[in-house]
Amino acid sequence: MTNSPDSPWIVLKFGGTSVSSVTNWKSVAGVLRSRLEAGLRPVVVHSALSGITDRLEQLLEKALSGDWEPVMAQIEQRHRDLASDLGIGELPELDQYFTELRRTASGIHLIGEVSDRLRARVMATGELMATTLGAAFLASEGLDVHWLDARSLLEATERPGASERASFLSAACNFEPDPALQQRLADIGKVFVTQGFIARDARGDTVLLGRGGSDTSGAYLAAKLGARQFEIWTDVPGMFTANPHTVPSARLLRSLDYDEAQEISSSGAKVLHPRCILPVKQYAIPLSVHSTVMPEVEGTVVTATGGDGDARVKAVCTK
């Protein structure tokens, strides 16, 4: 089964750096307007603000010793500063997340341990807080945006033999096309914002898709929606022959096939998470990589026929 070129759905995944400044959020709004003008229904999947996932890890670590308040203050201030920069004022939902994190940290100190189940719940808060900010800003820009909890969209598959830790912190989800989900969203509106990295299990508990899991979340949703395209927006305008931050002469790879992209990402390239390739490959959904700071640059397109077939070195990676 392949995607439909007439599908109205397009999934856009934005990384942490892409959602951490006003400039980038204005770029996101511009991209969404252009997709709407093309008659598409955009679903935005995005990460926590850059650095917040690490801060939440620190919060859990410091909670055991009781010295967690300084880290919590940093997490709260970071979100309040961005809310202020975005001009969206106070958000009650954010205050609820801050209160819950403080209660959880206090509880961890009292019992002296962090279960995998609790770790998943705390780590998920980064994406929940960031998307709350993002949806509020896009609404203030005049977009008819709807915030969705990713745990109502993605359910982890049961993996016999998987450890409890893997089940909570490195889950995998079903991604078969879901006409009921497509209809449910079509009845709600045209622009959606949801979280990467998180899902639910059969019991309704929060689970994580592993570090870098936002790419995978986007690919799962693209497959479930039968999307016309899956776009990944990051800080570089595509995949290169080498890391452009360390090799200035690296060339942009305009087109790749799924297997080439899989090989490059598995070998250490950070632009794509290796697990995001399978869902789009299975349903022949084109995947493209773009830069939030240079949205006009064409970027890399990954399709079934993207490679040129020649036996040549496409990229050099380190792992």
Side-chain angles (χ1 to χ4, degrees):
M1 182 176 176
T2 62
N3 79 313
S4 165
D6 300 323
S7 169
W9 299 105
I10 184 165
V11 177
L12 306 94
K13 179 264 174 176
F14 292 89
T17 54
S18 295
V19 296
S20 295
S21 71
V22 180
T23 303
N24 283 354
W25 267 112
K26 287 190 177 295
S27 179
V28 172
V31 169
L32 293 178
R33 287 192 190 96
S34 72
R35 301 300 179 268
L36 286 167
E37 287 165 8
L40 297 170
R41 290 176 181 261
V43 176
V44 173
V45 175
H46 76 77
S47 305
L49 305 187
S50 58
I52 289 298
T53 302
D54 290 336
R55 287 279 183 273
L56 289 167
E57 289 270 21
Q58 290 173 14
L59 182 71
L60 290 168
E61 182 186 322
K62 296 291 187 181
L64 290 168
S65 65
D67 185 28
W68 52 267
E69 184 54 49
V71 180
M72 184 61 225
Q74 292 173 7
I75 292 169
E76 179 173 346
Q77 195 60 50
R78 180 79 186 286
H79 289 85
R80 290 200 187 283
D81 286 347
L82 182 57
S84 174
D85 291 346
L86 293 171
I88 52 179
E90 295 289 319
L91 296 176
E93 302 94 330
L94 270 188
D95 290 330
Q96 289 170 16
Y97 291 128
F98 299 149
T99 299
E100 185 180 338
L101 284 173
R102 285 192 161 86
R103 283 180 184 152
T104 303
S106 296
I108 289 169
H109 180 53
L110 285 173
I111 62 174
E113 68 172 302
V114 181
S115 67
D116 294 322
R117 179 171 176 266
L118 185 59
R119 182 177 296 275
R121 209 172 79 212
V122 168
M123 300 301 291
T125 313
E127 271 67 17
L128 293 165
M129 292 187 295
T131 52
T132 298
L133 284 173
F137 172 72
L138 294 173
S140 76
E141 287 283 297
L143 292 165
D144 180 21
V145 65
H146 299 267
W147 184 92
L148 299 171
D149 190 324
R151 295 167 295 189
S152 71
L153 308 173
L154 297 175
E155 181 172 333
T157 53
E158 294 287 337
R159 292 181 292 168
S163 67
E164 179 177 286
R165 185 172 183 81
S167 296
F168 277 112
L169 306 181
S170 188
C173 297
N174 246 324
F175 54 83
E176 286 85 5
D178 187 343
L181 175 62
Q182 295 169 29
Q183 188 59 53
R184 174 157 69 94
L185 297 194
D187 290 343
I188 297 174
K190 290 188 176 180
V191 183
F192 301 90
V193 172
T194 192
Q195 308 77 41
F197 184 52
I198 70 175
R200 73 177 189 281
D201 64 15
R203 296 176 298 278
D205 286 329
T206 300
V207 298
L208 309 180
L209 305 184
R211 279 299 189 105
S214 291
D215 287 1
T216 311
S217 297
Y220 286 157
L221 286 171
K224 288 173 78 73
L225 293 170
R228 186 183 303 194
Q229 183 140 330
F230 174 38
E231 299 180 353
I232 289 184
W233 290 79
T234 182
D235 57 351
V236 292
M239 301 182 77
F240 284 76
T241 52
N243 184 343
H245 295 308
T246 54
V247 183
S249 61
R251 290 181 297 105
L252 178 65
L253 294 163
R254 294 286 181 188
S255 64
L256 293 168
D257 65 36
Y258 295 117
D259 292 336
E260 289 172 333
Q262 178 79 64
E263 192 68 32
I264 292 170
S265 59
S266 297
S267 299
K270 298 289 191 291
V271 177
L272 292 180
H273 194 283
R275 284 172 60 184
C276 82
I277 306 290
L278 177 61
V280 292
K281 177 183 178 181
Q282 187 162 322
Y283 295 104
I285 297 169
L287 183 160
S288 56
V289 183
H290 309 269
S291 168
T292 315
V293 295
M294 294 181 281
E296 70 286 349
V297 176
E298 196 173 314
T300 302
V301 179
V302 181
T303 62
T305 57
D308 57 21
D310 292 349
R312 64 178 71 173
V313 175
K314 286 289 176 76
V316 178
C317 309
T318 60
K319 193 171 185 179

